Amino acid sequence: MAKQGQTVEKDQSQIINGVDVTQLMENIRAIRQQPRLADFKFRARNRWFEGGLNRATIDGFYGTGQEIAHARAFSLDADEPPVLLGEDRGANPVEYLLTALSACMTTALAYHAAAQGLEIEEISSEYEGDIDMHGFLDLNPNVRKGFKEIRVRFKVRGEPDEAKISELLRKSPVFDVVTNPTPVKITVEKK
Amino acid sequence: MAKQGQTVEKDQSQIINGVDVTQLMENIRAIRQQPRLADFKFRARNRWFEGGLNRATIDGFYGTGQEIAHARAFSLDADEPPVLLGEDRGANPVEYLLTALSACMTTALAYHAAAQGLEIEEISSEYEGDIDMHGFLDLNPNVRKGFKEIRVRFKVRGEPDEAKISELLRKSPVFDVVTNPTPVKITVEKK
């Protein structure tokens, strides 16, 4: 594992922030030659147990022109806390959304800084989002069901200045999905 | 644990789909009397390790007028697969987003069906979302960084018909956040 904030050479690759920048540049060259290598399909499936308890499983995806299996299947349990009528057997769905946002903004910063040759030693961040349950509970049609607002606070030690960090964080795909509309097509089948 | 699709009585509570509907109705009555009980703040924090590897931690939230600790802290590791320059030590950020969406749509269906007295025996679902890496890699400014589209397929065994299921799935807060814009306010501090 490469140490954070360190540029190292490994097998003639340049590693910055733990990201193999040589490989990244090779990937970009390959995509320029064969644009369809950039088409990815990410997947999950979910099984409900009871009440707020359900389990998502993620075991592979499509990318670089082929089906790719993960090293192992990732199994993620969600539940609600008792005050929301669950038994706290996992983070709840909106906490998984904040997890996704946190992972994605962090990775966007580490990867894009690496691509620009900027070393980072430390990234930590905090997320808080407001939900008014009048929305989910159908008590007020003017209140949205999801987050009204999400606040994010990053603390970063490394070369990029605050303006550059703010710019790179916004390259996150999950940040894009949260801040902009994304079409979701639903099919329902009765068994 | 209540069996799925079964209405049971427990301590004079009516349990449908594993959801304590008596308690749900009491919560709604309490919110009608004190609207601010409906204000929730969900939280996560994240620490970067290196490259695509980072860990989100979720240990509590604010709701029903008080700070509430989860039964335990939930720790969720994210990483990228090798083809995206990681080492597959966890689901990746956009897979966490699909997990959040899956958990939330499933829970919305189970809870709202229970509130309407509709028993459900089985819910399973599949998610697939398209990402064109030209966006994240800054190779084409006209390609978005996040999902272009997400397709969701539900299979349900139980009382509600397909139209009712479709209606209830759309009550999910994460579905709202994905399909509509949500403001994200970012603060950056250099250490």
Side-chain angles (χ1 to χ4, degrees):
Chain A
M1 191 185 286
K3 199 162 165 289
Q4 297 102 304
Q6 212 179 25
T7 304
V8 296
E9 308 287 327
K10 190 181 89 176
D11 305 332
Q12 283 144 15
S13 276
Q14 188 184 35
I15 313 288
I16 305 178
N17 304 336
V19 178
D20 186 333
V21 177
T22 308
Q23 186 61 49
L24 177 60
M25 296 308 159
E26 278 172 22
N27 291 358
I28 289 172
R29 263 193 300 276
I31 287 172
R32 286 194 196 278
Q33 285 175 358
Q34 286 191 65
R36 295 286 60 83
L37 292 177
D39 288 341
F40 279 68
K41 292 179 193 296
F42 292 100
R43 301 179 185 127
R45 55 182 196 276
N46 188 294
R47 174 163 286 274
W48 177 61
F49 293 105
E50 55 98 34
L53 184 64
N54 62 80
R55 177 173 297 160
T57 304
I58 293 141
D59 51 18
F61 60 96
Y62 173 89
T64 64
Q66 62 197 310
E67 293 294 329
I68 299 177
H70 278 298
R72 61 181 179 87
F74 303 115
S75 188
L76 297 163
D77 283 9
D79 194 10
E80 296 291 348
V83 71
L84 295 171
L85 310 178
E87 297 179 21
D88 239 351
R89 290 158 290 191
N92 87 354
V94 297
E95 291 168 334
Y96 270 106
L97 182 85
L98 296 180
T99 295
L101 183 63
S102 78
C104 202
M105 293 180 77
T106 298
T107 301
L109 175 56
Y111 274 47
H112 276 278
Q116 298 185 20
L118 298 169
E119 294 186 354
I120 293 179
E121 288 153 33
E122 215 177 304
I123 309 173
S124 63
S125 51
E126 294 177 353
Y127 303 77
E128 185 176 74
D130 305 322
I131 289 190
D132 179 345
M133 289 291 169
H134 285 88
F136 178 68
L137 293 171
D138 285 338
L139 298 177
N140 184 342
N142 300 317
V143 173
R144 72 178 291 184
K145 297 175 189 307
F147 286 116
K148 280 185 293 187
E149 179 185 287
I150 298 171
R151 292 169 295 283
V152 177
R153 175 178 295 272
F154 267 81
K155 291 186 187 172
V156 180
R157 189 189 302 271
E159 289 184 331
D161 64 17
E162 288 177 12
K164 174 58 73 177
I165 292 165
S166 291
E167 175 201 329
L168 301 184
L169 291 173
R170 286 175 169 79
K171 296 182 185 291
S172 151
V174 174
F175 177 81
D176 174 16
V177 170
V178 170
T179 56
N180 296 300
T182 301
V184 177
K185 293 192 178 161
I186 303 176
T187 313
V188 174
E189 186 187 322
K190 279 289 298 277
K191 284 179 74 175
Chain B
M1 191 185 286
K3 200 164 166 286
Q4 296 101 304
Q6 212 179 23
T7 303
V8 297
E9 308 288 328
K10 191 180 89 177
D11 305 333
Q12 284 144 14
S13 276
Q14 190 185 34
I15 313 288
I16 304 178
N17 304 336
V19 178
D20 186 333
V21 177
T22 306
Q23 186 61 50
L24 176 58
M25 296 308 159
E26 277 173 24
N27 291 357
I28 289 173
R29 263 194 299 277
I31 288 171
R32 285 195 196 277
Q33 285 175 356
Q34 285 191 64
R36 294 287 59 81
L37 292 177
D39 288 342
F40 279 68
K41 291 179 193 297
F42 293 100
R43 302 179 184 126
R45 56 182 196 277
N46 187 294
R47 174 163 288 275
W48 177 61
F49 294 105
E50 56 98 32
L53 183 64
N54 61 80
R55 176 172 297 160
T57 305
I58 292 140
D59 51 17
F61 61 94
Y62 173 89
T64 65
Q66 61 197 310
E67 293 294 329
I68 299 178
H70 278 299
R72 61 181 179 87
F74 303 115
S75 189
L76 296 163
D77 284 9
D79 195 8
E80 297 290 348
V83 72
L84 294 171
L85 311 178
E87 297 179 22
D88 239 351
R89 290 158 290 192
N92 86 353
V94 296
E95 290 168 335
Y96 270 106
L97 183 86
L98 297 179
T99 295
L101 183 63
S102 77
C104 202
M105 293 181 76
T106 298
T107 301
L109 174 56
Y111 274 46
H112 276 278
Q116 298 185 19
L118 298 169
E119 295 186 356
I120 293 179
E121 287 153 34
E122 216 176 303
I123 309 172
S124 62
S125 51
E126 295 177 352
Y127 303 77
E128 183 175 75
D130 305 322
I131 291 190
D132 179 345
M133 289 291 170
H134 285 88
F136 178 68
L137 293 171
D138 285 338
L139 298 176
N140 184 342
N142 299 318
V143 173
R144 71 178 292 185
K145 298 174 189 309
F147 286 116
K148 279 185 292 186
E149 180 185 286
I150 298 171
R151 293 169 296 283
V152 177
R153 175 178 295 273
F154 267 81
K155 291 186 187 170
V156 180
R157 188 189 303 271
E159 288 184 330
D161 64 16
E162 289 178 11
K164 174 59 72 179
I165 293 165
S166 291
E167 175 201 329
L168 301 185
L169 291 173
R170 287 175 168 78
K171 296 184 185 290
S172 149
V174 174
F175 177 81
D176 172 17
V177 170
V178 169
T179 56
N180 296 300
T182 301
V184 177
K185 294 194 177 159
I186 303 174
T187 313
V188 173
E189 187 185 321
K190 280 290 296 277
K191 283 178 74 177

